[in-house]
Amino acid sequence: MADLVMDFKTDAAPRKAAAGRYDGARVLIYSHDTFGLGHLRRSRAIANAIVEDGSNASIVIISGSPVIGNFEFGSGVDYIRIPGVTKLPDGDYRSLNLNVDLEEAVGLRQDLILQAVKSFRPDVFIVDKEPTGFRGEVLPALDYLHGSHCRLVLGIRDVMDEPALLVPEWERKDAKEALIRYYDEIWVYGLKDVYQPLAALDLPPHVERRITYTGYLRREMPATPSLTRYPKITRQPFILVTTGGGGDGDDLIDWVISAYEADKALDMPSLILFGPFIDRDKRRSFMERINRQSKLDALSFDNKIELLMQKAEAIVAMGGYNTFCEALSFDKRTLIVPRTRPRLEQYIRAVEAQRLGLVRMLSDYNEPRTPERMAAALRSLSSQPRPSEVVIPGLLDGLDQVQARLMALIEPNHTHVPAFHQAAE
């Protein structure tokens, strides 16, 4: 496969952009998708923001998500779907659709990523979350681009995991070494005063200087209406209950339904959005219970969830990165019910957000998961402060900062010093 593009040289001169713009620039985004929608939706928000000002940039997203085709992308954005992998209940992985073992599937993904890099010849390569990619699949592409005109960026969410788990995980994957060796910049899509996701790694000072805290990624309303037919429940004030992709949201959905089953005095109805990855049998069981409650209804999936969020009076969610950004962007009273297994990412984010007064948290981490606790939390949503009542400078400046950093990286007068040179400073 690589023989088809051997003419392309990594030391080719970068394309020139108009002063102060990134017209004509090429950006490749690797979206670390093995489970859920979080990485894809974050990558899509960044890509759409880059092209929304009418620049002539071209952006390609590489993703293994099986639902990437369900989303709309701005003019100038396209995607490459590589074979998917999925996480099993025991934490292991397998090929999603192909009848091949995981090692062969990763090898195929790795070859396709490298081929995309060679053919597209990006000016900037943004790698989402994992410095080496899933099972090291991005390393050949990083080796190919290392020292070239292409700028290498690692983009990570505000919280990765608790330090006790993150440090050994990154050691096992050689992720810290890859971060130091390859990446020119590290973009943290959050605020330093909220959380420092890489603090426990004890990075060298010259690598710390590559880190930019962008702020959270603001979300906008879709340009076109949703084709989803909303239930009647949305014609009145309602609570939107969302579990993101839905593959790990069973506990939250069960807890909300049990609250309405136990407390008939709950006034505000709730719309439950299952997500595309919920188990079919579980969804069927939930629907049987929901159909018996006049104040509950459900939808399977909405690729323009922003419209539902805008309509909702309040939000109940697990607290993944994207949902948190949307709750802030649309200024919604939000109850976070974080997942605590297998990672504490959502719990850490919820604790910090509650500390700042942006959301309220309800957790079963150290307390029992009773219907009464959820019913009380749902009832108190209407009197909860909105996020906008807390003033935090730069809170939602993420996309503006990404655009500014991108412009600085590919502006023709910018002198590029590859990461391996910076290490010697």
Side-chain angles (χ1 to χ4, degrees), residues 108-128:
L108 177 56
R109 286 163 58 102
Q110 177 177 289
D111 290 344
L112 291 171
I113 294 167
L114 180 59
Q115 178 72 25
V117 164
K118 291 180 175 180
S119 299
F120 187 54
R121 294 172 296 147
D123 298 298
V124 178
F125 184 25
I126 303 173
V127 175
D128 181 71

Side-chain angles (χ1 to χ4, degrees), residues 391-406:
V391 178
I392 302 176
L395 181 66
L396 286 169
D397 287 354
L399 292 176
D400 293 335
Q401 291 298 320
V402 165
Q403 290 172 315
R405 288 310 314 146
L406 184 66

